[in-house]
Every structure is written in structure tokens, then in C-alpha cells.
Amino acid sequence: MESNSAASASIWDQCLRVLRNDLTDQQFHTWVRPVQAIVEDGGLRLLAPNRFVVGWIEDNCLERIINVAAPMPVFLEVGSRLPPIAVGTDTTSSRRPSRRDWPSSRLNAAFTFENFVEGKSNQLARAAALQVAENPGSAYNPLFIYGGVGLGKTHLMHAIGNEMLRRDGTKRVAYIHSERFVGDMVRGLQHNTIAEFKRSYRSLDALLIDDIQFFAGKDRSQEEFFHTFNALLEGQRQIILTCDRYPKEVSGLEERLKSRFGWGLTVSIEPPELETSVAILMSKADAEGHYLPDEVAFFIAKRIRSNVRELEGALRRVIANARFTGQPTTLEFTKETLRDLLAAQDRLVTISNIQKTVAEYFKIRVADLLSKRRNRSITRPRQIAMALAKELTTHSLPEIGDAFGGRDHTTVLHACRRVKLLRETETRVQEDYNNLFRTLTG
Amino acid sequence: MTRQLPLPLALAPHARYETFVAGANDSVVATLRSQVAAEVIWLCGAEGVGKTHLLQAVCAAEPQRAAYLPLAESKDLDPAMLEGLGELAVVALDDIESIAPDPAWNRALFEFYNEQQDLNGRLVVAASVPPGRVEFQLLDLASRFRAANVFRVAPLDDAGLLDALRLQAQARGLELSESAGRYLLSRVKRDMRGLSALLAHLDNTALASQRKLTIPLIRDALSTGA
């Protein structure tokens, strides 16, 4: 094995040296560097990640490779092999198994309950998650966590998996993104391994599927998932799902799936309030061993409101810069470091932008918002758009009225009051409003 | 005088960290060099500041498999081009904003992103603006990129440009004196991409007319529409 890998390294290195000079940097890095080379059965086997790379090499440099490798024959195909373990360096040790080795747990050990910062916005979800981790298969099954992007759904999901394994290392727990579930299934069908696919998934103690909204419209995958779901549930195995919205509102998802998703417990995660954002920043900085003054944490939290991921991105940038320059993390230093990032936040929200976003969100036309039509499917979005225009722009009410097909300012006032009331009484309206607010300001 | 017909050889120095004149961007280079598993670095900055050079340098420095994808050419590429790239140690995506409005590319990129992060790969992305300003069609993708470590690649000042120009000239076997370099810089648009192309033209002119790269030669070349 080792001599083979040494031989392939040396022949392939020769090829690379030659190609490096034949090709432009772009060609070399786009088409040649993704290729894996192994010496096998006396030949040089080149494994390309996809058919495009194979095609390009065939057309542009295969002949050259054959010449350099001669007399060794060269084979080129789509594929990949795991690198041999522990050959000299440990650079590969941090990389996890290839996707072709499913199901592995794929849990990210960095996401735990300990480093999940609790606040009002996620209290219930966290409590339910902990219950599930302590009593898998019996507490709440399935556990359905939903909320906007970047609020910690995935973190919570991994935390459950990690906690289950900490309590019982023999459990078979698998985390998978719904896109990958679909991909694995398609591959199973293509390569005639669908039986193995089914058996692997149905033998789990806990299945964690992220972002199930991506199942929408994929009927064959939904069918397969439906049976997997039933098999696991019957065996009292735990299922945990996340989604960007309430299950009933995912369009393109079969009714029978939606209804099953509601059998267990459905919990939401909301955007963090200011105090939670600050606590998240402090906790992350602490984990990095970096001192973050209160005023800096408050500054970042106030400026980045929509999304925990972005909050972490900003913090990462500040810490990286502080480490590099050796400067203390003062407020001035932070403002300077994040100047570009924050400039992007301050984009101007215009009435027309609001109209466009609201129309897209409710799948109606901007012209409908401006029209005289008064059926509810139009008036509700129109009222929400007006309320958003009042909250997010400095335009006067008459100006807003004008921009909505020449309506009177009292109509705008009425819309704003109506939306305020609806947000207090109807969860759906509150969610729509928050989603739109985040889209427009984030 | 007989003119020699120069061969169209690409003699620009290979894009590596060593051939990148960092100027005010030393923290960017340091971060790229020490990038850890599953980290996403987002480089932004105007055209010609060296983002492409840095992305290719990241690939060049990676001993394992790597890939550089010029997404500005996405019209000619298929989103399925991302298939299998999640398994590579490092992937560099250039001009990512070009695919932002395209649903198929968004989905493919999202799937690639999840797989790559799952397998602890490193991702480096370049765009003209920070992630918050790129309107990805898929919100999930937009949100993930917003967690990236964002760096603005600053343009080089005159001293830096002169260094970079002389480094490139050297790679072509040309000697560019400081005064000739300054002469050039004070007369053309100063972005590295344009300057590299101009240098290639000057190289050809010098070779064809068998003259040294002097101020008179530069003047002649510029006056003939370089």
C-alpha cells in the first residue's frame, strides 16, 4: 500500500510539474488539482470528482499525462478513495470519512448543550431538546424544531446527538442534511444499493435530519423518508427534524408527512433578544480565550440583530484582527475592524424594496399591492407592507400612501394599527412580519 | 530593423503566496496561511486587488487535493461541477456573486457547502462585496456565508504596485528599473490585472523590437495603444 502510494505520488508529481508549466494557473487549479491519483494494478488511476473534470482532462491534457507516465498505463474516471491513514503527516486526521461511508454519525462535537446559550428566544426548544437527549424515543417523538436561518437549530440538533452518545456510546446516531438524504437515496437507486440505504437508515437509534424544507417537491424522497420515518417511530427510535418554518406551512410536502411531523412536539427558535446576543458573544469569546469588554459585546449585538451566525462571524473577525495586530479589543478597534461588515448592514431600505420583498414573500405581484383590489389575500400583504414601510423608512404617512397606489394617509394609519393588533393575536402574522423584517434588515 | 515574432507564452509568475505583494494585506495572507478545518474565509475588494491571486495561492499551498472555481464563468460551467468537490481539502470560489441570482447554482452550492463543512474542508470565497451585500437566492446559503471570516483586500499603494510590477517583470526575465516602473504607474490605470496585461504587452513589444524595457520603449508602446 505504502509503496503504491509512494509510486503514485512520484509519477503524479512529475505529471503535475509538467502540467503546471503547460497550463495557466486557472486551468491547473480548476481542472488538475481536484484529481486524485493512485497506482493500482500496474497502472496510474486518476480519480476525478465529476464528469466535467474528466471531460476537460480528456480534451486538454490526457495525452500529455500518458506521455509522462509511460510506459505505465493511465486510467481516468469519476470517483474518490479515502487517503491512506497515517502516512507521514497527520494533515488528514482531522478530516472525516467520505460520504460514501454512510451512515457515520456526522455529529459535530463542537455543538453541545454546554455552549448553547439560552435566552427567552430559545428556552422552550432547548428544554425540549434536553428532554429528548435524556429520554430518546420516548419523550417527544419526533421533535420538530423550526425557526429562521442562523438561529441555532442545527446546534441544538447536534447537541442532542452528542448528549445521547455521551450517555450511551453504543447508540447509533446519525445527523444528515436533507439534501444529502436525497443524494444518498438517488445514488442508492443508481447503484442498485437502495436496500442497503434503507437498512442503514432504519437500523439507527436516532435520526437527525436538518432543513427538511428541502424535501419539498421531491416526491420519491418523501416516499422513502415516510417509510423510514414510520419504521423508526414504530421501533421507538428518536427522530429529530429541523425546518425553516412551521411544518404545515412547507409547500410541496405531502400531507401525510406534515401530519406525522406534528405527532411529537413542535418547538420554535426565535431571533435572540439583545441580552441573549450579548451572552452568546461573551460565551464564544470566552471559549476562544479572548477577553471581550461588555461595551464591545453590546456594540456588536446591537448592530447585528437578525442572525446568530452573523454575530459569530463578526466576533471571529474581531478576534482574528486583535490576535494579528496584538491590539486590545476596544470599542474603537471593533468599529474599525467591522467597518466594511457593518456598512453592508446599513443598506437603505426603500418603499419599493419593501413592496418587492413582500410581494415575493406572499407570491403576489407588486402591481397587486398597488391596485384597488380588496380581497384578503391582497389586503393583508398590503397592510403588512405599509406597516413595514412606516417602521423601516423615514417616509411620512402621506408619502407611503402615495407609494401604494395613491392611498390616503389614514389608510396607512389604519393598516399600521391593524397589523399591530394582528401581530399580537395571530402567530402567523407575527411570524410573517418577523420574517419580512429580517429579510429587509438582515 | 527586423521584428521578431514572439511566441505567446504565459510567463506570468505562478500565483503563490511568495509572488503576492501583500502591502496592507498582511493580515489577510496570515489568516489564509493559518486557516483551520471547516473555516470559511470571505475575501472582498475591488477588481484587480489580487483576490484571484490569493485564491490560487491557497490552492497552490495545499499539499492535498484542491480546486479553484472561477464562478464568473458560471455561464459556461454546470452547477454539477461542484459534485465531489466537498471531499477536497480546500476549495476556492472566485466571483461568487455571479451565481447569487441563479437557483440551480444556489442549491448546488448549498449542498456542496454542507458536505464540505461536514468533512472539515476549508473554503475560501472571493467577491467584490461582503457576504451581507450579496443577494443569494437561497436564504439558507446567504445565512451560512454571513458566518464567514470576512476580509477586505486593500489595493496596493504605489510602492506596493511598483514591487509587484518588478516581481512580475523579473519572472518574465525583464529588467524594469524603478524609474521606468514609476513612469508606467503614473500613466495607466493602477490595478494589478490591467498592469499584468500591460506588462505582457510590453514584454512582447520589447522582444519584437529587441529593445530593453526603458522609458522610451514604454512611451512608444503606450502611444501605440497598449
Side-chain angles (χ1 to χ4, degrees):
Chain A
M1 183 77 183
E2 221 177 288
S3 63
N4 268 359
S5 79
S8 64
S10 118
I11 288 169
W12 183 235
D13 280 349
Q14 278 180 46
C15 295
L16 289 177
R17 270 195 295 276
V18 170
L19 295 174
R20 184 73 156 120
N21 288 323
D22 284 0
L23 305 171
T24 66
D25 277 345
Q26 179 171 317
Q27 290 169 331
F28 182 73
H29 291 301
T30 304
W31 305 107
V32 179
R33 290 297 315 282
V35 172
Q36 186 178 13
I38 39 178
V39 170
E40 202 172 59
D41 306 328
L44 177 65
R45 188 169 295 281
L46 300 179
L47 301 171
N50 54 58
R51 63 197 152 92
F52 300 98
V53 174
V54 168
W56 195 91
I57 290 181
E58 278 173 350
D59 293 346
N60 296 278
C61 58
L62 186 57
E63 221 175 289
R64 191 77 160 132
I65 296 171
I66 290 170
N67 286 337
V68 177
M72 190 178 269
V74 177
F75 308 98
L76 173 65
E77 63 191 343
V78 175
S80 89
R81 301 273 174 87
L82 278 181
I85 295 159
V87 183
T89 69
D90 65 350
T91 46
T92 57
S93 60
S94 64
R95 290 180 57 73
R96 289 198 245 155
S98 143
R99 63 175 174 195
R100 286 161 181 94
D101 295 345
W102 55 265
S104 58
S105 91
R106 296 183 186 279
L107 286 173
N108 185 339
F111 291 139
T112 62
F113 281 111
E114 286 71 38
N115 60 23
F116 185 86
V117 178
E118 189 178 344
K120 257 195 217 155
S121 53
N122 58 31
Q123 224 162 22
L124 183 61
R126 185 185 180 278
L130 199 56
Q131 273 287 320
V132 167
E134 286 167 356
N135 309 292
S138 56
Y140 306 112
N141 207 7
L143 176 65
F144 192 102
I145 307 168
Y146 76 99
V149 290
L151 300 180
K153 301 188 296 290
T154 304
H155 185 141
L156 214 44
M157 194 176 222
H158 282 279
I160 299 172
N162 284 322
E163 180 62 21
M164 281 175 65
L165 284 180
R166 196 185 64 79
R167 287 167 175 266
D168 182 354
T170 64
K171 289 268 191 240
R172 287 166 54 83
V173 180
Y175 164 85
I176 192 161
H177 193 269
S178 64
E179 291 268 23
R180 163 117 14 87
F181 182 89
V182 175
D184 280 355
M185 195 200 74
V186 172
R187 268 187 288 279
L189 287 170
Q190 281 170 347
H191 301 132
N192 240 349
T193 53
I194 192 74
E196 194 191 338
F197 168 89
K198 287 179 180 176
R199 188 190 49 74
S200 305
Y201 277 101
R202 292 176 195 183
S203 66
L204 293 167
D205 292 305
L207 175 60
L208 288 51
I209 299 199
D210 213 353
D211 287 328
I212 58 109
Q213 69 270 19
F214 287 100
F215 277 151
K218 291 171 180 155
D219 297 345
R220 180 71 178 85
S221 301
Q222 287 185 33
E223 170 84 22
E224 184 49 48
F225 181 63
F226 178 76
H227 295 303
T228 304
F229 187 97
N230 286 341
L232 289 175
L233 223 53
E234 271 164 30
Q236 289 190 311
R237 316 294 175 84
Q238 183 67 44
I239 297 171
I240 304 158
L241 307 162
T242 72
C243 186
D244 67 348
R245 68 203 82 170
Y246 191 68
K248 301 257 184 245
E249 290 168 10
V250 186
S251 51
L253 211 56
E254 284 181 35
E255 281 307 319
R256 57 179 184 169
L257 269 182
K258 286 186 194 177
S259 117
R260 271 168 174 73
F261 290 164
W263 283 0
L265 180 68
T266 302
V267 286
S268 74
I269 298 191
E270 299 291 325
E273 59 282 13
L274 184 67
E275 294 74 14
T276 310
S277 293
V278 169
I280 290 171
L281 288 169
M282 292 298 214
S283 148
K284 295 276 171 196
D286 207 35
E288 290 272 329
H290 192 89
Y291 170 66
L292 193 70
D294 284 358
E295 59 171 3
V296 173
F298 270 96
F299 171 77
I300 301 174
K302 270 186 196 157
R303 296 303 303 269
I304 296 170
R305 297 284 293 277
S306 60
N307 186 315
V308 180
R309 273 205 195 101
E310 194 162 3
L311 211 55
E312 291 176 10
L315 179 67
R316 207 170 289 139
R317 178 80 186 83
V318 171
I319 294 178
N321 201 24
R323 283 189 181 147
F324 184 75
T325 60
Q327 289 188 51
T329 316
T330 61
L331 188 56
E332 271 319 300
F333 172 83
T334 305
K335 282 182 181 169
E336 181 56 29
T337 302
L338 298 180
R339 205 182 47 195
D340 294 331
L341 213 62
L342 296 176
Q345 302 284 319
D346 294 337
R347 65 174 173 190
L348 201 61
V349 181
T350 61
I351 295 183
S352 73
N353 188 6
I354 291 171
Q355 291 171 334
K356 190 169 153 276
T357 309
V358 170
E360 269 171 21
Y361 184 85
F362 289 105
K363 298 187 175 56
I364 56 175
R365 296 173 308 147
V366 172
D368 293 330
L369 288 176
L370 311 187
S371 72
K372 301 283 176 219
R373 291 176 60 190
R374 298 185 62 175
N375 47 328
R376 217 177 99 169
S377 64
I378 305 293
T379 51
R380 181 63 53 78
R382 187 187 292 138
Q383 286 172 335
I384 289 178
M386 284 180 176
L388 284 164
K390 178 166 175 285
E391 185 167 353
L392 293 173
T393 74
T394 52
H395 288 290
S396 64
L397 297 186
E399 281 171 337
I400 295 173
D402 264 354
F404 280 83
R407 288 181 156 77
D408 193 74
H409 79 277
T410 53
T411 311
V412 182
L413 197 60
H414 170 74
C416 295
R417 286 182 182 147
R418 179 96 189 115
V419 170
K420 184 169 182 287
L421 182 71
L422 286 170
R423 283 175 64 193
E424 285 162 6
T425 51
E426 286 187 32
T427 331
R428 175 71 193 266
V429 176
Q430 172 70 350
E431 271 177 22
D432 289 342
Y433 193 89
N434 285 346
N435 287 342
L436 284 161
F437 186 89
R438 274 206 303 276
T439 308
L440 286 162
T441 56
Chain B
M1 193 193 328
T2 45
R3 286 176 65 86
Q4 259 188 2
L5 211 56
L7 290 167
L9 291 177
L11 284 174
H14 286 310
R16 296 195 317 264
Y17 289 128
E18 294 72 23
T19 54
F20 184 76
V21 177
N25 299 309
D26 44 2
S27 72
V28 183
V29 175
T31 310
L32 286 171
R33 278 177 179 272
S34 60
Q35 189 185 10
V36 295
E39 187 182 14
V40 182
I41 293 178
W42 181 292
L43 305 178
C44 59
E47 198 179 317
V49 292
K51 301 187 297 292
T52 299
H53 186 128
L54 282 173
L55 294 189
Q56 292 177 354
V58 169
C59 293
E62 171 55 52
Q64 298 182 62
R65 285 184 298 153
Y68 164 85
L69 243 58
L71 295 176
E73 296 164 22
S74 58
K75 288 184 298 301
D76 305 321
L77 295 171
D78 193 295
M81 172 72 199
L82 290 167
E83 272 174 22
L85 295 191
E87 293 182 16
L88 271 50
V90 63
V91 172
L93 303 174
D94 209 352
D95 294 309
I96 197 166
E97 68 263 55
S98 341
I99 57 96
D102 184 315
W105 269 101
N106 273 256
R107 292 292 283 259
L109 197 51
F110 185 60
E111 191 176 353
F112 155 77
Y113 180 98
N114 288 323
E115 172 167 39
Q116 209 226 11
Q117 292 290 295
D118 235 16
L119 298 172
N120 282 334
R122 294 183 292 131
L123 179 61
V124 188
V125 171
S128 59
V129 289
R133 286 234 198 117
V134 177
E135 300 208 345
F136 287 104
Q137 181 264 343
L138 193 60
L139 289 181
D140 302 80
L141 187 63
S143 142
R144 276 159 176 79
F145 278 127
R146 285 178 177 209
N149 203 352
V150 183
F151 286 86
R152 181 170 286 280
V153 183
L156 290 174
D157 59 11
D158 278 2
L161 281 172
L162 190 61
D163 283 348
L165 209 52
R166 294 183 74 183
L167 199 71
Q168 291 221 0
Q170 205 179 7
R172 292 171 172 277
L174 287 170
E175 200 189 321
L176 180 71
S177 71
E178 193 175 328
S179 55
R182 288 199 187 284
Y183 177 87
L184 186 63
L185 284 178
S186 60
R187 278 159 183 80
V188 296
K189 188 170 171 253
R190 291 168 305 156
D191 79 78
M192 258 339 280
R193 198 170 294 178
L195 283 170
S196 299
L198 185 57
L199 200 62
H201 173 74
L202 291 172
D203 190 4
N204 278 342
T205 313
L207 188 59
S209 58
Q210 293 183 296
R211 289 164 68 190
K212 281 192 169 176
L213 190 50
T214 56
I215 293 179
L217 178 117
I218 295 173
R219 188 167 47 220
D220 290 351
L222 291 180
S223 67
T224 56

